[in-house]
Amino acid sequence: MPELPDVEVFRRYFNATALHQKIGSVSVRSQKILDGISAKQLKATLEGHPFKATRRHGKHLFAEVDSRWLVFHFGMTGFLKYFKQEQKRPEYEQLVIDFVNGYHLSYDCRRKLGRIRLIDDLDTFISEKGLGPDALDDRFDLKAFEGRLNNTRSAIKSALMNQEIMAGIGNIYSDEMLFQAGIYPKMKANQLDQTLIQKLFEVMKEVLKTAITCGANPDELPNTYVIPRRGKDGECPKCGTGLTRITVSGRTGYYCHQCQPEQ
């Protein structure tokens, strides 16, 4: 599933391509992706207007149009594609926005698990969804991070992935953060001492920013990162030990039992 770095890359891509472009027409290929709105309502809101601004909170992308916000959630396989030539049209497009400049923006989502909706207010949406602070928000400081971890007894990997505690982190990047901080994934979040909390907080911010700089492309990440090596045959980039598979909150993760020992 696209996580915070992926969605931030989508936002910047949207800004570089679709922002301020006047919308000519809108086509919905699958009603399944629409959440609380009909295709007719979506067309009436978007057509004839330009996108004015974008924002991101966690794994959600918001695009402002005509005093409302179009919300993209990308599910497991969603992404955006801006194109002109027909041969570049993505295979599983579920929504197509045609601009008057002759270009198109497709929301492609092969498994149709993503959702699109319209909202009037971002803060209300975030509150109603029960989303915690964005993991990269400057206001989400060490004190706030510590307070949220101290209030949960779940495993630290589960806490990092819990969108109510903080928004944006999923299975893949939680693995990386815990690896870089040297923390065992099943360690209880409220049992981390002050040193580990500060280290994890700093690593969390660094990993997310690095991933964004690398375009959320695993192959472009530093060679000290574990993400490109996740899998049954992966090896720790620090000590060469084979990575251990682990299940936490129903999600399969990977860690190094040498560099992230149980405590």
Side-chain angles (χ1 to χ4, degrees):
M1 175 181 290
E3 299 182 29
L4 187 157
D6 305 87
V7 180
E8 178 59 23
V9 170
F10 295 162
R11 189 188 72 83
R12 297 180 183 187
Y13 177 79
F14 190 104
N15 286 353
T17 56
L19 198 61
H20 306 306
Q21 299 289 351
K22 187 176 180 179
I23 300 166
S25 62
V26 175
S27 302
V28 177
R29 305 286 197 245
S30 173
Q31 296 281 342
K32 184 178 180 180
I33 65 164
L34 299 183
D35 182 9
I37 189 171
S38 68
K40 183 178 180 180
Q41 291 171 315
L42 185 65
K43 288 170 63 69
T45 301
L46 300 185
E47 290 178 354
H49 302 281
F51 288 113
K52 297 191 294 185
T54 61
R55 280 184 57 184
R56 182 196 51 74
H57 187 93
K59 301 176 185 179
H60 290 84
L61 171 62
F62 307 90
E64 186 181 14
V65 57
D66 194 28
S67 301
R68 302 190 74 188
W69 293 88
L70 182 65
V71 184
F72 295 92
H73 190 268
F74 296 92
M76 295 292 293
T77 58
F79 65 93
L80 300 173
K81 178 64 179 284
Y82 185 78
F83 65 98
K84 187 173 186 179
Q85 289 82 13
E86 186 66 24
Q87 63 268 28
K88 294 187 177 181
R89 184 179 296 277
E91 185 175 0
Y92 301 102
E93 59 182 11
Q94 309 302 337
L95 172 74
V96 185
I97 299 172
D98 302 317
F99 298 104
V100 297
N101 67 352
Y103 282 79
H104 318 276
L105 180 71
S106 284
Y107 170 82
D108 188 284
C109 195
R110 179 173 56 85
R111 296 180 62 181
K112 299 182 182 180
L113 297 176
R115 293 293 180 266
I116 289 175
R117 64 182 295 179
L118 282 168
I119 62 171
D120 295 316
D121 183 76
L122 269 65
D123 292 335
T124 299
F125 173 83
I126 291 167
S127 176
E128 289 177 348
K129 284 289 185 180
L131 298 175
D134 184 90
L136 271 185
D137 192 324
D138 290 338
R139 296 168 296 182
F140 188 47
D141 57 14
L142 176 60
K143 183 178 180 180
F145 180 73
E146 181 178 11
R148 287 181 171 266
L149 293 187
N150 286 339
N151 286 330
T152 178
R153 299 178 62 185
S154 62
I156 183 58
K157 180 173 172 65
S158 298
L160 290 173
M161 294 190 295
N162 187 333
Q163 301 304 295
E164 294 182 1
I165 294 177
M166 65 197 82
I169 302 169
N171 191 32
I172 293 176
Y173 285 99
S174 61
D175 274 0
E176 190 64 61
M177 294 165 190
L178 294 173
F179 173 73
Q180 296 296 333
I183 298 173
Y184 177 60
K186 287 190 175 181
M187 186 175 183
K188 296 296 184 183
N190 61 357
Q191 293 180 353
L192 270 66
D193 61 28
Q194 183 66 39
T195 300
L196 281 180
I197 289 175
Q198 181 168 350
K199 185 174 184 180
L200 181 58
F201 175 77
E202 293 171 352
V203 161
M204 175 186 73
K205 300 281 189 176
E206 179 184 354
V207 165
L208 293 174
K209 291 176 181 179
T210 298
I212 292 168
T213 299
C214 294
N217 182 349
D219 295 334
E220 297 296 325
L221 292 172
N223 58 18
T224 55
Y225 273 42
V226 75
I227 286 177
R229 298 165 176 80
R230 291 175 84 254
K232 64 179 182 179
D233 298 321
E235 295 183 350
C236 173
K238 294 182 180 179
C239 70
T241 299
L243 297 177
T244 301
R245 179 173 174 170
I246 192 171
T247 301
V248 182
S249 297
R251 306 297 300 278
T252 298
Y254 294 88
Y255 76 104
C256 174
H257 71 268
Q258 294 284 356
C259 298
Q260 299 165 262
E262 297 184 41
Q263 297 183 15

